[in-house]
Amino acid sequence: MTLPGARAGAWAAAARAAQRRRRVEGAGRSPRPVTRSQRAALYVHWPYCEKRCSYCNFNKYIPRGVDEAAMRSCLVTEAQTLLRLSGVQRVESVFFGGGTPSLASPHTVAAVLEAVAQTAHLPADSEVTLEVNPTSAPASRLAAFGAAGVNRLSIGLQLSLERGTALFTRVQRGALPTPDPERAAEMYQEGRALLREAGFRQYEVSNFARHGALSTHNWTYWQCGQYIGVGPGAHGRFVPQGAGGLAREARIQTLEPDNWMKEVKLFGHGTRKRVSLGELELLEEVLAMGLRTDVGITHQHWQQFEPQLTLRDVFGASEEVNRLLEQGLLLLDHRGLRCSWEGLAVLDSLLLTLLPRLQEAWQQKTPSPVPGG
């Protein structure tokens, strides 16, 4: 899908005007302080692709034709509806994923961003990421996305590797063996070491960056911040307005694009499933997600979710946890709880010890009622 040439200039000009207006509005007043429940990241799912890739298991469809105007209208409607339902006043970042969102027109990106800015505060310097397939986004198209408000690209290497294999080998489909687990672990460690020597910070289990270029959008996920999922099959986690800032919901939008659009037109959103997260479930996420990062879980961050049980209360007296501390895989100190460089590589095995200990501490804090009491 391409943007009609006669209209491209108008869309780009409108997007630039929107950006200038947001900058002027941001400069004219001090941003109001907002609570944790009033901040969120926004994920927008574009479900269409040109072909199916073997390595991708995301919600995607190969359409015969796309009514982009209808899809754009529904993305705008659902973004505004969910922002209002959440009571979110500040959107920290926006991520356009898919699917292949670079197949959408820059106008669609601009329209969604403008709708977000009309409903909540979207700072002019917010991170706005677009997943890009290089074949669908030549330089001129990337420039148009930039004019629409995109300031960060996410470009996968899988396609290049796939094409390289097809061009330079004659290996038949399915003939490439999967590396054995020990070799895969060695490759992971070698890659970590090379990137570290090159000045990259491993700020998360599978993410590296330097010069402060980490993904602030993904950082919201790892810090268990709120995020709103817009589009077919998108996931979100936020506290609905009026819930008293306590009960966070996990939401999943309807998968199939046509059915999702029908629901958005009828109800303003296409949420198919809502699940209230209990306090323990949320703490389990805080633990599992926070330990994925090199910062880990600070005492202050933990107290935002659990003001009664400290990290030392939960883990300090555990013999199993103390063995991990003695082995140098975990660190529990004045900063909080985090994995060491060695521990980050074996996080899954560490969680097998930490999660049951959290559950045990929670049960001791909230004992079951006595029958007949």
Side-chain angles (χ1 to χ4, degrees):
M1 291 170 286
T2 59
L3 186 65
R7 300 168 70 186
W11 298 139
R16 286 195 296 271
Q19 285 180 305
R20 286 195 298 271
R21 184 166 63 256
R22 288 197 295 271
R23 283 196 292 270
V24 170
E25 290 173 351
R29 65 177 186 271
S30 299
R32 291 176 298 174
V34 294
T35 65
R36 182 162 50 91
S37 66
Q38 295 172 325
R39 299 193 303 267
L42 185 79
Y43 173 80
V44 183
H45 192 77
W46 178 265
Y48 303 117
C49 289
E50 290 180 326
K51 68 183 187 70
R52 294 189 181 276
C53 299
S54 59
Y55 54 79
C56 176
N57 62 355
F58 290 101
N59 186 40
K60 76 275 188 183
Y61 301 84
I62 315 301
R64 293 182 179 178
V66 175
D67 184 349
E68 184 168 355
M71 173 60 70
R72 176 169 55 247
S73 175
C74 287
L75 289 173
V76 164
T77 296
E78 185 168 76
Q80 292 181 318
T81 298
L82 294 183
L83 282 169
R84 293 188 183 108
L85 285 175
S86 68
V88 163
Q89 295 182 17
R90 179 185 176 95
V91 175
E92 308 281 7
S93 62
V94 183
F95 192 105
F96 291 87
T100 309
S102 54
L103 291 174
S105 73
H107 176 44
T108 291
V109 170
V112 172
L113 292 176
E114 183 68 9
V116 172
Q118 289 172 355
T119 313
H121 178 52
L122 180 66
D125 59 351
S126 294
E127 180 185 273
V128 179
T129 305
L130 179 77
E131 283 186 347
V132 170
N133 181 331
T135 62
S136 64
S140 59
R141 192 171 179 81
L142 289 179
F145 281 122
V150 172
N151 54 31
R152 185 183 180 101
L153 300 178
S154 175
I155 305 175
L157 295 176
Q158 295 94 329
L159 183 63
S160 298
L161 292 173
E162 185 180 81
R163 290 181 173 177
T165 300
L167 286 171
F168 299 108
T169 74
R170 296 179 181 238
V171 180
Q172 301 212 352
R173 184 178 296 275
L176 286 174
T178 302
D180 66 79
E182 289 189 6
R183 180 54 186 152
E186 290 175 5
M187 292 169 67
Y188 173 65
Q189 295 287 30
E190 291 169 5
R192 295 174 77 210
L194 285 171
L195 288 167
R196 192 179 194 180
E197 291 171 7
F200 284 83
R201 167 190 166 193
Q202 185 182 10
Y203 66 99
E204 191 267 344
V205 167
S206 58
N207 284 267
F208 301 76
R210 59 181 174 184
H211 307 311
L214 59 80
S215 169
T216 58
H217 183 86
N218 288 342
W219 192 261
T220 296
Y221 298 153
W222 301 319
Q223 291 293 291
C224 263
Q226 293 194 124
Y227 57 96
I228 295 171
V230 172
H235 289 224
R237 270 168 165 70
F238 62 84
V239 178
Q241 194 169 20
L246 298 175
R248 186 178 294 198
E249 286 186 349
R251 287 183 173 233
I252 302 176
Q253 308 309 99
T254 295
L255 289 171
E256 204 280 326
D258 288 345
N259 289 335
W260 170 81
M261 283 193 281
K262 289 177 183 176
E263 293 176 21
V264 173
K265 291 174 182 177
L266 283 172
F267 310 114
H269 65 85
T271 300
R272 176 57 58 92
K273 186 176 182 180
R274 296 167 55 186
V275 178
S276 292
L277 299 177
E279 292 181 55
L280 177 57
E281 290 174 293
L282 186 55
L283 285 180
E284 289 171 341
E285 287 194 5
V286 171
L287 180 68
M289 299 300 281
L291 286 181
R292 293 181 63 91
T293 71
D294 61 345
V295 173
I297 306 162
T298 67
H299 294 294
Q300 294 83 358
H301 181 66
W302 178 262
Q303 288 171 1
Q304 290 179 8
F305 296 91
E306 175 46 64
Q308 293 179 302
L309 288 175
T310 69
L311 288 170
R312 293 191 187 278
D313 291 336
V314 177
F315 302 110
S318 166
E319 292 182 7
E320 295 87 351
V321 173
N322 277 302
R323 277 196 291 271
L324 297 176
L325 295 170
E326 291 169 1
Q327 293 167 9
L329 298 175
L330 280 177
L331 300 167
L332 178 58
D333 55 22
H334 66 283
R335 292 167 56 186
L337 179 68
R338 63 192 183 281
C339 293
S340 65
W341 167 261
E342 294 77 16
L344 204 59
V346 291
L347 173 60
D348 286 350
S349 64
L350 302 184
L351 288 173
L352 293 176
T353 297
L354 296 171
L355 285 170
R357 178 57 199 141
L358 171 60
Q359 293 158 3
E360 180 183 343
W362 180 262
Q363 290 168 358
Q364 292 173 352
K365 171 194 169 186
T366 55
S368 301
V370 178

